[in-house]
Amino acid sequence: MKTLTLLRHAKSGWDDPVARDFDRLLNAKGKRAAAMVGRHMRSLGLTFDHAIASPAVRVSETLEQIKSGYGRTIAPDLDRRVYLASAATLLDVVHGFPAEAESALLVGHNPGLEDLVLMLVADGADPLRDAVEDKYPTASIAELQFEGEWSDVAAGTARLTRFIRPRDLDPTLGPDAD
């Protein structure tokens, strides 16, 4: 059985003017959320045989903050295709994972990650899938399991086993009040 963990980058700032979206930095709340998620990943004993990430600055900063809580470095292969990718492009990336990898991590952006979960997990009476469909917040993790090989992953073939949002770990990391 293969396990695919999808991690959306943590909350980035819009206050710091940067020339490109690609260069946006995490804000303080995003840094706190990523470190908290890293601690939770450690408590769950999550490990990965393979990791791929978007090369965007906010993804690199998310992984640095995850490391502070997780206690180990995740050194993903950076793949430009993951930056703001569609679900179809992300699925192509997954199909290219090495056959020997049993547990893989994909770190990227929305709406692609959310759309990938909704594509791979059949619609039905699944409260986790419903939560993803409602919103896939920043710094959230979705864990999916598949039978077969990475190249076999297709629409409706996954089981969503975890969906962890920062606010599930600390309510102060939930949505900002308007």
Side-chain angles (χ1 to χ4, degrees):
M1 178 164 310
K2 304 287 189 186
T3 301
L4 173 63
T5 302
L6 305 176
L7 169 63
R8 184 177 174 198
H9 68 79
K11 191 167 188 62
S12 57
W14 290 94
D15 298 338
D16 187 15
V18 292
R20 304 180 309 162
D21 172 76
F22 186 89
D23 298 322
R24 278 193 294 123
L25 304 172
L26 295 186
N27 66 20
K29 187 174 182 179
K31 290 176 182 178
R32 221 168 35 96
M36 170 87 51
V37 168
R39 285 190 294 279
H40 192 66
M41 289 169 57
R42 180 179 61 216
S43 76
L44 294 172
L46 299 184
T47 59
F48 310 103
D49 303 326
H50 185 66
I52 297 279
S54 161
V57 171
R58 61 191 177 274
V59 170
S60 298
E61 286 193 331
T62 297
L63 288 169
E64 273 303 308
Q65 294 303 314
I66 290 280
K67 174 185 167 186
S68 73
Y70 186 52
R72 60 177 80 163
T73 299
I74 298 171
D77 294 333
L78 300 181
D79 189 329
R80 183 86 177 168
R81 294 176 298 164
V82 177
Y83 176 65
L84 303 181
S86 68
T89 298
L90 294 173
L91 185 56
D92 285 344
V93 171
V94 169
H95 285 159
F97 287 176
E100 64 275 6
E102 293 298 319
S103 180
L105 175 67
L106 179 60
V107 188
H109 311 267
N110 250 8
L113 291 176
E114 178 178 330
D115 292 344
L116 183 62
V117 172
L118 297 177
M119 173 198 302
L120 297 178
V121 178
D123 196 3
D126 181 345
L128 288 179
R129 187 187 188 282
D130 293 345
V132 170
E133 190 169 19
D134 183 47
K135 184 172 184 176
Y136 195 127
T138 52
S140 293
I141 292 175
E143 182 184 85
L144 302 101
Q145 292 187 334
F146 309 89
E147 296 293 337
E149 301 301 323
W150 295 113
S151 58
D152 299 328
V153 175
T157 62
R159 186 168 56 92
L160 184 59
T161 55
R162 286 191 178 115
F163 182 52
I164 302 160
R165 302 166 296 193
R167 71 174 174 233
D168 299 329
L169 307 174
D170 177 350
T172 67
L173 295 172
D176 295 328
D178 291 330

